[in-house]
Amino acid sequence: MEELICEDQSALSGAPQSWTTIQWRRVERNVRAMQIRIAKATQEEDWRRVKALQRSLTRSFSAKALAVRRVTENQGKRTAGVDRELWDSPEVRWKAIGRLKRRGYRPLPLRRVYIPKANGKERPLGIPTMLDRAMQALYLLALEPVSESTSDPNSYGFRINRSTADAMSQLFVSLSKKASSQWVLEADIKGCFDHISHDWLERNVPMDKAILRKWLKAGVVFQGQFQATEAGTPQGGIISPTLANVALNGLENQLLAHLKATLGVVRTKKLKVNVVRYADDFVITGSTPELLENEIKPWVEQFLAVRGLSLSTEKTRIVNIAEGFDFLGWNFRKYSGKLLIKPSKKNVRTFYRKVKEEISAHKQVRQEDLIRLLNPILRGWARYHSPVVAKATFNRLEHDIFWALWQWAKRRHPNKSAEWVRKKYFPPTVGRGWVFGTMVANSDSKRWMELYSLARTPIERHKKIKGDYNPFDPAQEMYGETLRQERLLQSMSHRKQWVRLYVDQRGLCALCRCKMTKETGWHDHHIEYRVHGGSDVLGNRVLLHPNCHAQVHASGINVVKPAL
């Protein structure tokens, strides 16, 4: 144990005296090494060693620094908790590392806010303070290797390198063949995050029990009133999704083990039972509706009841694949024996309503500003649905959005002819007519800006992750690296120059040489600043982590182009 702590400190000796001098590559390597040891001890079921290694990790400088970096670089970094404190400077972040101590730690209540849901209801969200977020991020570093090593193979929500597209692809594998199951239990857990039993979590989550208890009992503050929390884990906490995953782990493995024990291995295989779960939404296939209703559903209800949970009666149903069902924004249905996955009607309606609201709320803005507002919305939605049968939906929506934009343009010029409006707002481009676009003036030139085209979005089959992939298994390191880079390059595909820079840098930040991921994000940095005459050519640009980019500008660090 002492050897592990000394190893961490000695690696950082000579070391940082401020936030800007932290060697992040060394920090990540130290944390990674300890997480691999925790995962190995978990697989060997050496729980005493797991506990000892977790304690060492949460006390190490490297883990604390990484936790502070995570909460000061993510999307919530500008959202304060009840203490209204933000860690928005390098000096504050450096001091924050020293504040991450177990002794004397008392979390503050969460700030309760409500965000709208697609069905018109509101979802409660709890916002912890920056200190509590960092403590959760710290203990998550120690919990994640355990949860990943004990998770069901077809659990895809809030896990490293897993996504909704992986869950969709697994369902395609389970349902697409002629001999596949024809019946599906479409299930939803009622208020999962709000009702998980605190007692069950304290008994079964493999982490520091005292710290976990403090988070669960911290309470919330809404409109100045304190409310105690007797059950559930608040949505909004960094560690909450992993706690929910730990609570639901076993839904697949234990169900199959139960069926094999009661019905036998051979008969269980003939029942075609498959479980695919994403967070608290899951689907179970079966050969007959009677099997799902009389055998599987009661077992699932009992499994959930132990954890303080229950199925939602409104959203849980048994359907035939020929009738189809919605899952994660897609509709799964067989047409004459062929499985087609399309964007669900509900998802399409919600998206179109959102686009219309954006257009209506910005009647007076310039055309280029409206395009800047709409493009991320259109691109994000289209990329989400690009692995499925969505071409017809894309074409129909592009037509509907065109008419919404035509009304927007006509309203601005009620006394102008339709031809005048068309020429101003919908000029033709090479090979295309009626394009909503305009020329935008830069400092020294002009460039063309146009609305993202849903209809031109390519349909690309998703490459599913292996069910047994463990990000903390050294034997699967190369597979994980390849998968991460392929997916990040795909997400950058609309920015070809970023793809080129990312490939040239081998997916590493040009300053700290640590991995760039969707979670860390990246900034496009000019080696010779544009204000000093630097150009936009690729030879003058590198990709940096947002935090590294801030360090470069704050400290005047010279960044060099990585050697190929």
Side-chain angles (χ1 to χ4, degrees):
M1 191 68 48
E2 295 174 13
E3 175 195 343
L4 206 115
I5 299 172
C6 293
E7 197 178 289
D8 181 60
Q9 291 173 341
S10 64
L12 294 163
S13 60
Q17 301 301 317
S18 67
W19 180 261
T20 55
T21 57
I22 295 175
Q23 299 179 43
W24 290 109
R25 191 176 187 184
R26 189 172 291 176
V27 162
E28 286 194 356
R29 190 164 59 237
N30 292 336
V31 172
R32 176 78 177 169
M34 287 189 271
Q35 287 180 317
I36 288 172
R37 294 172 71 177
I38 292 171
K40 184 180 179 183
T42 302
Q43 290 165 346
E44 294 170 353
E45 298 187 359
D46 187 349
W47 299 110
R48 288 186 62 184
R49 182 161 176 76
V50 168
K51 187 175 180 181
L53 290 168
Q54 285 181 320
R55 187 165 59 245
S56 293
L57 178 58
T58 55
R59 292 178 180 180
S60 69
F61 173 87
S62 291
K64 291 178 180 179
L66 210 55
V68 172
R69 188 175 77 165
R70 172 170 180 175
V71 301
T72 54
E73 286 190 353
N74 62 17
Q75 291 183 343
K77 64 184 178 182
R78 296 187 182 90
T79 306
V82 292
D83 60 355
R84 299 295 173 184
E85 181 182 353
L86 292 176
W87 295 348
D88 50 6
S89 71
E91 294 76 21
V92 173
R93 293 171 188 173
W94 176 252
K95 290 178 182 176
I97 295 174
R99 294 173 61 189
L100 301 186
K101 296 178 180 177
R102 183 183 187 277
R103 179 173 294 179
Y105 169 67
R106 286 184 62 84
L108 292 174
L110 291 87
R111 182 162 67 89
R112 171 60 55 84
V113 297
Y114 288 88
I115 57 175
K117 294 171 65 175
N119 59 8
K121 297 180 181 179
E122 291 185 322
R123 184 192 306 278
L125 197 66
I127 302 175
T129 64
M130 292 298 294
L131 177 61
D132 294 335
R133 270 178 256 176
M135 285 292 282
Q136 289 189 19
L138 174 63
Y139 280 86
L140 180 59
L141 289 172
L143 176 60
E144 220 163 22
V146 183
S147 67
E148 284 289 341
S149 301
T150 56
S151 288
D152 293 325
N154 291 308
S155 160
Y156 296 98
F158 305 110
R159 293 182 60 192
I160 298 171
N161 279 344
R162 296 185 180 230
S163 66
T164 53
D166 290 310
M168 176 271 295
S169 298
Q170 179 59 34
L171 268 178
F172 181 84
V173 171
S174 303
L175 294 168
S176 59
K177 299 181 181 67
K178 284 186 178 180
S180 296
S181 167
Q182 300 298 305
W183 293 93
V184 173
L185 171 64
E186 180 192 359
D188 181 82
I189 300 172
K190 185 177 181 180
C192 178
F193 283 88
D194 298 327
H195 297 109
I196 297 177
S197 165
H198 285 182
D199 291 339
W200 191 93
L201 289 173
E202 289 177 27
R203 287 195 309 270
N204 293 279
V205 176
M207 65 168 288
D208 189 312
K209 309 298 183 187
I211 293 291
L212 176 59
R213 188 178 304 111
K214 288 179 181 180
W215 287 334
L216 296 176
K217 301 299 183 183
V220 298
V221 171
F222 180 61
Q223 295 181 342
Q225 298 294 317
F226 175 81
Q227 301 170 5
T229 46
E230 300 302 329
T233 173
Q235 295 186 61
I238 286 176
I239 204 169
S240 294
T242 303
L243 293 179
N245 267 340
V246 171
L248 296 175
N249 278 343
L251 182 63
E252 179 181 2
N253 286 339
Q254 291 181 30
L255 172 59
L256 293 175
H258 164 74
L259 292 174
K260 288 174 183 176
T262 55
L263 304 175
V265 176
V266 176
R267 190 178 172 196
T268 298
K269 191 174 181 180
K270 292 179 180 178
L271 297 177
K272 303 172 185 176
V273 175
N274 297 281
V275 182
V276 177
R277 180 171 67 85
Y278 188 91
D280 57 340
D281 293 331
F282 60 92
V283 167
I284 303 178
T285 68
S287 56
T288 65
E290 292 77 21
L291 168 73
L292 293 172
E293 182 67 47
N294 303 326
E295 184 71 34
I296 291 178
K297 188 178 176 183
W299 184 91
V300 170
E301 289 172 336
Q302 185 179 2
F303 174 89
L304 295 176
V306 173
R307 293 152 176 79
L309 302 172
S310 60
L311 292 175
S312 167
T313 53
E314 306 88 41
K315 298 180 181 179
T316 300
R317 63 193 188 117
I318 295 171
V319 296
N320 189 285
I321 191 62
E323 179 186 345
F325 65 95
D326 290 350
F327 185 61
L328 302 176
W330 292 300
N331 179 260
F332 297 75
R333 183 179 173 185
K334 273 191 174 179
Y335 298 82
S336 303
K338 184 176 182 180
L339 179 68
L340 295 184
I341 306 173
K342 303 178 181 181
S344 70
K345 291 181 180 179
K346 179 181 176 183
N347 185 275
V348 172
R349 283 197 302 269
T350 302
F351 168 71
Y352 180 63
R353 191 183 307 122
K354 181 179 180 180
V355 174
K356 282 271 288 183
E357 287 171 356
E358 284 291 329
I359 295 171
S360 298
H362 297 90
K363 293 185 176 73
Q364 306 301 326
V365 301
R366 296 179 302 175
Q367 184 180 12
E368 62 190 81
D369 293 330
L370 182 62
I371 292 173
R372 286 194 183 97
L373 283 167
L374 293 178
N375 273 357
I377 300 172
L378 297 172
R379 184 182 292 113
W381 188 84
R383 288 210 62 82
Y384 183 84
H385 292 290
S386 63
V388 302
V389 184
K391 207 66 178 178
T393 304
F394 288 166
N395 289 332
R396 187 176 68 253
L397 269 175
E398 179 140 312
H399 177 267
D400 293 342
I401 291 170
F402 164 81
W403 282 110
L405 291 170
W406 176 256
Q407 294 300 323
W408 175 88
K410 285 278 290 178
R411 181 187 178 281
R412 295 164 70 88
H413 306 282
N415 299 323
K416 297 290 186 181
S417 68
E419 181 64 16
W420 186 95
V421 172
R422 184 192 70 79
K423 287 181 179 179
K424 179 172 177 59
Y425 292 103
F426 297 89
T429 61
V430 179
R432 295 177 65 202
W434 290 83
V435 177
F436 190 71
T438 184
M439 295 299 295
V440 179
N442 288 338
S443 54
D444 55 352
S445 62
K446 287 187 175 183
R447 66 183 181 88
W448 173 251
M449 176 188 284
E450 66 180 51
L451 191 74
Y452 179 83
S453 172
L454 293 176
R456 292 164 70 90
T457 303
I459 302 299
E460 299 173 340
R461 177 67 64 87
H462 178 77
K463 182 180 178 181
K464 192 185 89 68
I465 196 169
K466 294 178 182 176
D468 63 353
Y469 170 68
N470 185 340
F472 302 103
D473 183 352
Q476 300 189 60
E477 181 75 17
M478 181 61 70
Y479 171 78
E481 283 294 298
T482 304
L483 186 72
R484 177 182 64 83
Q485 292 194 21
E486 284 177 355
R487 292 188 174 180
L488 198 55
L489 285 172
Q490 192 175 21
S491 72
M492 290 181 180
S493 60
H494 63 285
R495 296 295 296 269
K496 294 180 181 179
Q497 292 184 341
W498 283 357
V499 172
R500 175 72 180 276
L501 291 171
Y502 182 85
V503 171
D504 287 349
Q505 295 174 206
R506 298 181 177 87
L508 304 177
C509 170
L511 182 66
C512 70
R513 308 302 295 161
C514 294
K515 301 172 187 174
M516 289 183 295
T517 66
K518 286 183 181 179
E519 288 71 32
T520 65
W522 60 84
H523 282 177
D524 191 346
H525 171 70
H526 288 68
I527 298 171
E528 183 180 358
Y529 296 175
R530 280 180 290 186
V531 294
H532 297 153
S535 69
D536 282 332
V537 298
L538 291 179
N540 188 49
R541 290 158 58 193
V542 290
L543 297 181
L544 302 172
H545 288 131
N547 184 64
C548 293
H549 198 197
Q551 286 186 27
V552 167
H553 285 275
S555 307
I557 301 171
N558 290 322
V559 182
V560 296
K561 196 78 173 173
L564 298 179

